[in-house]
Amino acid sequence: MELYNGERPSVFRLLEKYMRKGLYSILTQGPIPTHIAFILDGNRRFAKKHKLPEGGGHKAGFLALLNVLTYCYELGVKYATIYAFSIDNFRRKPHEVQYVMDLMLEKIEGMIMEESIINAYDICVRFVGNLKLLSEPVKTAADKIMRATANNSKCVLLIAVCYTSTDEIVHAVEESSELNSNEVCNNQELEEANATGSSTVIQTENMESYSGIKLVDLEKNTYINPYPDVLIRTSGETRLSNYLLWQTTNCILYSPYALWPEIGLRHVVWSVINFQRHYSYLEKHKEYLK
Amino acid sequence: MDLKPGAGGQRVNRFVDPISYHFLQFLWRTLHLLVSLWYLQVSMVQMIEGFLISSGLVKRYGALDIDKVRYLAIVVDSEEAYQISKVIQLLKWVEDMGVKHLCLYDSKGVLKTNKKTIMESLNNAMPFEEAVEKDVLLDQKQMTVEFASSSDGKEAITRAANVLFMKYLKYAKTGVGKEEPCFTEDQMDEALKAIGYKGPEPDLLLIYGPVRCHLGFSPWRLRYTEMVHMGPLRYMNLGSLKKAIHRFTTVQQNYGT
C-alpha cells in the first residue's frame, strides 16, 4: 500500500510500517475502540513555538492528522471524528477564519484526488455540523466529497465543522419536534376523519396515545453516531469546549501534553491501551444507562 | 497473519495458529502488566506529593485563589459513592477551602439517596434547591450543595425538549408560529430552568473513579468545564485536591477565539 503522499516508501518507512504491524498484532488481542474522536488543539502554539509563518501550524497539523488517521485505520478503528471548526471559532480574526476555510477547501479538493488516504483506506467522509454556516465554495466541496465517498464502507471520517454540542442538541430537538409534530398532525387528521365517519379513512384498532419527544428521538437526531469510545484532546487541555458533550457519557477522555502537530503513534497506542484497561467498566456503565 | 488497513485488526485465530495466538496473548498481557506497574508507580508518587502538599511542605499550594472556582462539581463512581464517610470527608475539605457552590453527581443516584446524611454532616451547607427558593445563591455565608444523577442529564434535556415542543405545537395550531420548529440555545436554557434545572455550568469538575469520564453529567452544563481525574475515591487526599484546584486557577481559556 502506498503511503498517503503517493511517494514510494523508503526502507526506513517499510521497517517502521512492519514494526507498527507487529505492535498492532499485540494490541488487537484486546478490544479496539470502534470510534476515536480528536480535538486538534495547539496548531497556533506550535507555529509560535517553532517560529513558523502564519498558517504554518495548521499545515503541520494537517500532516499530523493524516498520520493519526493512518494509525487509527490500520489498527481497525472504524470511525474517527475530528473537530475541525467550532461555531465559536468564527469569533477569531477574520483573516484567520478565512485562512482556515481556504485550507479546508484546499485539503478537501486534495482528498478527492487519487492516491490519497481516502481511497487507500476506502473511507467514507462525512461533514457534520451546522453546514449552513459554511461559505459556498467550502460547502460545495464538502458536498462533492461526501457524494464521491458515499459508497466507501471500510472506515468513516466525520469532520465536525461549524459545530458545537449545544447547537447539535438544539438541532436534535428541532428535528425531533418536526417528526413528532407530523405524527401529531396525522393522529389529529385521523381522529377528525374518524369523527366525521368518512368512508375513505381506515379505522385503526389500536391508536397509541401520544407521549411526546423521547430520549431515543434526540439520540437518533444528533449529528454524530455512533458515540466515541475515546476522545483525545492535545495540548494538555482538560475541557471539551462544547464538543461531543452528549456523546461522551461513556468515553475515555485523554489529554496528552503534546501540541496537535506533535501527536504521534505513541499517543494513539496509549489511548487504546487505556481503553482496553477500562473496557469492562465502561461496558457495565453503558448497560446500566440503557 | 496479514493486517490489512481498516480490516478491523484481524485477530490470530487460536485454532488455526495456536502458537502465535498464545504468544501474542502473552505479549499483550505482559504489555498490560507493565502499564499497570507504571500506573502503580505514578499513584505512589501522587500520594507522596499529596501528603507533602497536605502537610504544607510545598509552599506553591499554600494560598489558593478559591474565588476563581465559582461552581465546583464532583463526579463519583456510583460503586465508590457508597463510601459515604469518604464523600463526607471530601466535602468537608471542599467546605474548609471556601468553595461556595458545589454539585455532587453519581450516575445511579447513590449520593442523592444519602442526601440527608451528607447534609447533616456538613457544618454550614444548604441544599441548592433551598438556596434557589430563598434566593440566597449569592449569599457567601453557606456552601450550597446540589445533588445530581443521570436522570438530571439527558433525561432532563428530553423533558425540556418537550416543553419547547409543546410551545411550538401551540403556536403552530394558532397559525402564528413558524412552519418548522426553530429553537435557540437561550430557549433551551429557559426551558431547563422552567422544569427546575437551574444549576449553572461548573468551572471545574473533579472525577473520583477508575477512569477519566464524566459518566453522564448533564451535557448542557459541560461546555467549558475543566475536567480533572482524581483517581479512585479510596485514595483521595487533601493534597491532590489542592493541586487540582491550584492548577485550575492558572488555566486561561480563549473560548474558541
Side-chain angles (χ1 to χ4, degrees), chain B residues 38-59:
Chain B
W38 163 258
Y39 274 115
L40 181 65
Q41 179 253 154
V42 166
S43 304
M44 283 169 62
V45 167
Q46 283 173 348
M47 275 180 69
I48 294 169
E49 188 187 25
F51 170 74
L52 292 173
I53 295 170
S54 313
S55 316
L57 293 169
V58 182
K59 301 266 184 262

Side-chain angles (χ1 to χ4, degrees), chain A residues 29 88-89 121 213 238-239 281, chain B residues 5 11 77 162 224 226 256:
Chain A
Q29 296 307 301
D88 294 333
N89 293 153
Y121 285 100
I213 295 173
T238 58
R239 56 190 177 272
Y281 172 82
Chain B
R11 277 186 162 213
D77 166 60
N162 277 300
Y224 301 106
E226 301 285 338

Side-chain angles (χ1 to χ4, degrees), chain A residues 29 44 73 88-89 91-92 121 174 210 213 238-239 241-242 246 248-249 253 255 274 276 281 285, chain B residues 5-6 11 28 32 36 39 77 107 154 162 165 183 185 212-214 219 223-224 226-227 255-257:
Chain A
Q29 296 307 301
R44 291 185 294 178
Y73 297 136
D88 294 333
N89 293 153
R91 292 186 282 144
R92 290 187 176 178
Y121 285 100
E174 287 170 345
Y210 177 67
I213 295 173
T238 58
R239 56 190 177 272
S241 294
N242 215 342
W246 185 273
T248 47
T249 297
L253 310 174
S255 302
N274 278 288
Q276 292 179 342
Y281 172 82
H285 194 256
Chain B
R11 277 186 162 213
W28 181 70
H32 275 276
S36 297
Y39 274 115
D77 166 60
S107 55
K154 290 182 180 179
N162 277 300
F165 176 54
F183 307 123
E185 292 180 27
R212 184 163 172 255
C213 172
H214 62 73
R223 290 175 308 157
Y224 301 106
E226 301 285 338
M227 298 186 210
Y255 300 98
T257 56

Side-chain angles (χ1 to χ4, degrees), chain B residues 175-205:
Chain B
V176 171
K178 295 176 187 172
E179 284 183 9
E180 283 174 4
C182 183
F183 307 123
T184 64
E185 292 180 27
D186 288 338
Q187 286 173 317
M188 191 69 197
D189 271 332
E190 282 164 21
L192 280 163
K193 283 179 182 154
I195 56 172
Y197 292 96
K198 298 177 183 173
E201 185 174 322
D203 302 297
L204 176 62
L205 186 129

Side-chain angles (χ1 to χ4, degrees), chain A residues 172-185 187 208-221, chain B residues 155 157-169:
Chain A
V173 173
E174 287 170 345
E175 292 291 305
S176 305
S177 297
E178 194 171 342
L179 288 168
N180 280 271
S181 69
N182 291 339
E183 193 186 311
V184 166
C185 288
N187 286 347
E208 286 177 29
S209 59
Y210 177 67
S211 58
I213 295 173
K214 299 178 206 47
L215 178 57
V216 66
D217 295 331
L218 295 183
E219 299 205 315
K220 265 193 296 193
N221 286 300
Chain B
E155 290 174 32
I157 291 173
T158 308
R159 289 194 285 278
N162 277 300
V163 168
L164 292 178
F165 176 54
M166 289 303 153
K167 278 189 183 163
Y168 163 73
L169 274 186

Side-chain angles (χ1 to χ4, degrees), chain B residues 128-170:
Chain B
F128 180 78
E129 302 80 23
E130 197 180 307
V132 169
E133 220 175 273
K134 293 180 180 173
D135 197 18
V136 292
L137 270 179
L138 295 175
D139 180 3
Q140 298 296 301
K141 291 184 193 138
Q142 284 182 296
M143 181 172 80
T144 63
V145 184
E146 182 190 354
F147 288 82
S149 65
S150 58
S151 61
D152 303 309
K154 290 182 180 179
E155 290 174 32
I157 291 173
T158 308
R159 289 194 285 278
N162 277 300
V163 168
L164 292 178
F165 176 54
M166 289 303 153
K167 278 189 183 163
Y168 163 73
L169 274 186
K170 188 175 154 188

Side-chain angles (χ1 to χ4, degrees), chain B residues 235-256:
Chain B
Y235 299 136
M236 68 175 201
N237 62 73
L238 176 59
S240 304
L241 179 62
K242 280 187 174 178
K243 185 181 174 187
I245 292 180
H246 178 268
R247 189 171 178 248
F248 167 76
T249 60
T250 62
V251 165
Q252 279 183 324
Q253 289 205 30
N254 60 11
Y255 300 98

